[in-house]
Amino acid sequence: MKSNWKLLALMALLSSVITLAAYNLLGFNNRDVIFNESSPIQAMTGRLASMPGGPTAVPGDFSTAAEAVTPTVVHIRTTMTRTVRQQQVPDIFREFFGDEFGGQRQPRRQQGQASGSGVIISKDGYIVTNNHVVQDADEVEVIMTDKRSFKAKVIGTDPLTDLAVIKVEANNLPAITLGDSDALKLGEWVLAVGYPLDLESTVTAGIVSAKGRRIGILDQNINKNDAKPDSPVEAFIQTDAAINPGNSGGALVNLRGELVGINSAIASATGYYSGYGFAVPVSLVKKVSADLLKYGNVQRGYIGILPIELNSTIAKEKGSKVGRGIYVESVVEKGAAEAAGLKKGDVIVKMEGQSLDSDAQMREIIGRRRPGDVVNVTVNRDGSERDFKVELRNRNGGRDVIKKSDVTAATTSLSTLGASFEDLSAQDAKQLGVSGGVRVKKITDGKLAETDVEEGFIIVKANGKNVKTTKDLQTILAAVKEGEGLMLIGMYPNSSRMYYYAVPV
């Protein structure tokens, strides 16, 4: 009995040390946020299972984990306003009958609602969810399992990992314990907890079907107006636990009730569960949420290579002596890899001691780190292995963190227009009789959606200045002061008429 008390005291001390270390290391001390992390001492798991007050679940018994986790997963309801654009009237009818042909073409503002899930990560009200759950939301409501309701504030979002942090003003909330997604094994039991299809709290069970899975779903979030856009980080945990719309942002937990992932997507032709769901690993969740709280944006480290994922065919084409790993097609001049000594033709076979099998796996490992962090890399060069220490850089080539306030103002401003743009080709410019211009490729939600501007519009002037490239438009927009507007002048293809649009900024 005495030995059990000694072991319990030791475990309590270790848990306190782990919590305090996470508290300082992840930067939550700036926001007074403390969360629980599981003990990494796996050897004691079997003994803990028989101790009073410890986990009592046996393989196949999901009740202990379900009871522990359910109170920490919340229902999120959002209200948003979207712009509904009416069908474009062909230019030929406008030329003959005027702009009013076909009725009023003013865009309409329409309010909508959506729902998802979230996971409480601290007792004082910080909650992790998916970016797509709270994106563009005017109001966010959080409903607890005990029916209490709170208005929430969005602290930060990251579309490239589909994660977000929100905050409710409450104390002594039940916070989940963060587990270790690296320790997950294929075939291990996991539970998905959330609010699917706007139902009450729901628990489903399945196994880990795959790890490090890339499905390309986040490619749509790449900022196409950025000259150097960041790439999404997709290294999902794949599971066959039933996940449906509304589960997004909910918890994926192991049988100890520890968070191992945030449910994010499903693979389905119908939009509903059909066998596979995908969750962001908690190793990435920890880093992204810490960055959003401390800096307001995610600090991304860059290794500075053009990577190619090897298979037997590509290895033969490249003359590589190994068939698995990441082939270095080129290194960025004065980048992290070049400074460390990596060269074109090297094959990265290990990173941080893990064997590399995919580009997604490499990006996830780097995605957990910040500029200035050192990554241990093992390279196969001409048949022999060599170890390198690579100090990651930021997107500007430095080692410092880039705060949200330091993000390029021009890129941020252009994104507020809510559209994607492309430079007019020389051939198109010649046909239109202009020296250059910028075409509006696609309009989503934003300032342009509130005007009569239609897709295909070619901007040739903005605020009286010539616009020949997207960079010109960025520069002009960045100079617009608060309260001022943007006057766009341009034309549509197959129309000689010039159009003038006033855009609120």
Side-chain angles (χ1 to χ4, degrees):
M1 187 69 182
K2 288 184 179 179
S3 62
N4 278 355
W5 278 110
K6 288 180 180 178
L7 185 57
L8 283 171
L10 177 61
M11 288 301 299
L13 179 61
L14 285 171
S15 297
S16 298
V17 171
I18 291 165
T19 299
L20 287 172
Y23 171 66
N24 289 294
L25 181 63
L26 293 179
F28 284 124
N29 52 338
N30 284 20
R31 293 295 186 91
D32 295 328
V33 176
I34 302 176
F35 61 90
N36 302 317
E37 282 206 88
S38 61
S39 169
I41 305 175
Q42 301 296 328
M44 295 188 181
T45 304
R47 297 186 66 181
L48 282 174
S50 61
M51 289 183 182
T56 57
V58 297
D61 178 11
F62 309 136
S63 61
T64 302
E67 289 173 9
V69 172
T70 299
T72 70
V73 180
V74 300
H75 193 185
I76 297 177
R77 286 179 175 164
T78 60
T79 302
M80 68 223 31
T81 304
R82 302 211 179 260
T83 302
V84 180
R85 301 181 63 84
Q86 296 187 2
Q87 186 175 358
Q88 179 177 336
V89 179
D91 284 332
I92 187 171
F93 293 109
R94 263 196 259 146
E95 292 285 347
F96 283 98
F97 299 105
D99 285 338
E100 298 306 315
F101 176 78
Q104 180 59 253
R105 297 187 302 109
Q106 284 288 340
R108 292 184 297 108
R109 302 292 284 172
Q110 191 175 73
Q111 197 172 70
Q113 293 183 327
S115 71
S117 306
V119 181
I120 303 171
I121 58 171
S122 72
K123 293 184 177 181
D124 56 346
Y126 285 98
I127 297 168
V128 169
T129 184
N130 284 143
N131 168 71
H132 74 261
V133 170
V134 297
Q135 187 177 26
D136 300 326
D138 300 319
E139 293 182 2
V140 179
E141 181 187 15
V142 168
I143 304 168
M144 307 288 177
T145 53
D146 60 7
K147 306 300 183 182
R148 285 184 296 165
S149 176
F150 300 91
K151 295 294 182 184
K153 177 184 177 182
V154 177
I155 300 299
T157 62
D158 182 39
L160 297 181
T161 55
D162 196 25
L163 292 172
V165 176
I166 62 176
K167 174 78 164 66
V168 296
E169 295 303 321
N171 292 304
N172 298 319
L173 296 179
I176 202 163
T177 299
L178 306 186
D180 182 4
S181 50
D182 288 345
L184 276 180
K185 295 177 179 168
L186 297 184
E188 182 175 343
W189 281 107
V190 286
L191 305 181
V193 185
Y195 293 78
L197 308 174
D198 213 20
L199 298 171
E200 295 295 320
S201 179
T202 301
V203 180
T204 57
I207 63 169
V208 176
S209 305
K211 294 172 64 177
R213 185 73 82 196
R214 169 174 165 76
I215 58 176
I217 194 171
L218 299 183
D219 289 345
Q220 61 187 332
N221 294 336
I222 296 174
N223 185 356
K224 297 179 176 59
N225 296 320
D226 192 339
K228 298 188 298 181
D230 290 320
S231 298
V233 181
E234 286 190 17
F236 292 119
I237 300 166
Q238 181 178 316
T239 177
D240 64 351
I243 296 175
N244 277 295
N247 271 117
S248 292
L252 188 72
V253 301
N254 58 25
L255 292 194
R256 294 173 66 183
E258 299 162 350
L259 184 72
V260 294
I262 294 293
N263 297 321
S264 186
I266 56 176
S268 171
T270 64
Y272 295 92
Y273 172 74
S274 60
Y276 295 111
F278 301 91
V280 181
V282 73
S283 57
L284 193 59
V285 174
K286 294 176 190 177
K287 192 266 181 181
V288 170
S289 57
D291 280 0
L292 291 176
L293 285 165
K294 188 172 184 179
Y295 306 106
N297 63 325
V298 177
Q299 302 302 312
R300 291 192 161 85
Y302 295 80
I303 192 171
I305 65 171
L306 178 61
I308 297 179
E309 185 179 317
L310 281 183
N311 56 35
S312 57
T313 303
I314 296 175
K316 187 175 181 180
E317 291 175 357
K318 299 295 183 182
S320 172
K321 296 185 182 298
V322 290
R324 298 176 72 176
I326 302 299
Y327 181 84
V328 179
E329 178 67 13
S330 64
V331 294
V332 176
E333 186 178 356
K334 297 181 180 179
E338 184 184 70
L342 271 67
K343 299 178 180 179
K344 173 181 169 61
D346 286 345
V347 178
I348 303 175
V349 293
K350 286 184 181 179
M351 186 171 284
E352 289 296 295
Q354 298 181 38
S355 297
L356 277 190
D357 291 321
S358 68
D359 180 63
Q361 181 190 4
M362 181 185 72
R363 291 184 187 277
E364 195 260 335
I365 293 173
I366 295 173
R368 302 183 205 174
R369 290 158 176 83
R370 301 185 178 99
D373 289 349
V374 175
V375 178
N376 296 306
V377 173
T378 301
V379 162
N380 186 295
R381 180 179 292 173
D382 299 324
S384 60
E385 291 190 356
R386 299 178 59 180
D387 293 327
F388 295 87
K389 290 186 179 297
V390 181
E391 185 182 20
L392 301 178
R393 306 289 178 86
N394 60 31
R395 62 179 289 154
N396 298 326
R399 298 171 179 81
D400 299 328
V401 298
I402 300 178
K403 293 190 176 181
K404 191 173 183 179
S405 58
D406 297 332
V407 176
T408 306
T411 301
T412 304
S413 297
L414 196 58
S415 65
T416 63
L417 294 179
S420 57
F421 304 89
E422 65 179 359
D423 294 346
L424 199 63
S425 68
Q427 183 179 354
D428 288 344
K430 186 177 180 180
Q431 289 178 349
L432 292 169
V434 295
S435 57
V438 172
R439 178 184 284 110
V440 179
K441 285 181 62 179
K442 185 177 181 181
I443 298 175
T444 53
D445 272 344
K447 300 298 183 181
L448 285 188
E450 299 173 10
T451 71
D452 282 342
V453 174
E454 295 168 358
E455 292 174 2
F457 179 62
I458 298 165
I459 304 167
V460 295
K461 279 193 175 185
N463 282 358
K465 297 180 180 179
N466 291 330
V467 174
K468 295 183 180 180
T469 65
T470 305
K471 188 175 181 180
D472 292 339
L473 185 60
Q474 286 178 341
T475 302
I476 295 168
L477 186 56
V480 177
K481 297 178 181 178
E482 188 175 354
E484 295 181 350
L486 184 69
M487 177 61 73
L488 300 180
I489 303 175
M491 63 187 70
Y492 289 93
N494 305 318
S495 173
S496 59
R497 179 178 174 181
M498 298 299 290
Y499 290 82
Y500 297 76
Y501 294 111
V503 182
V505 176

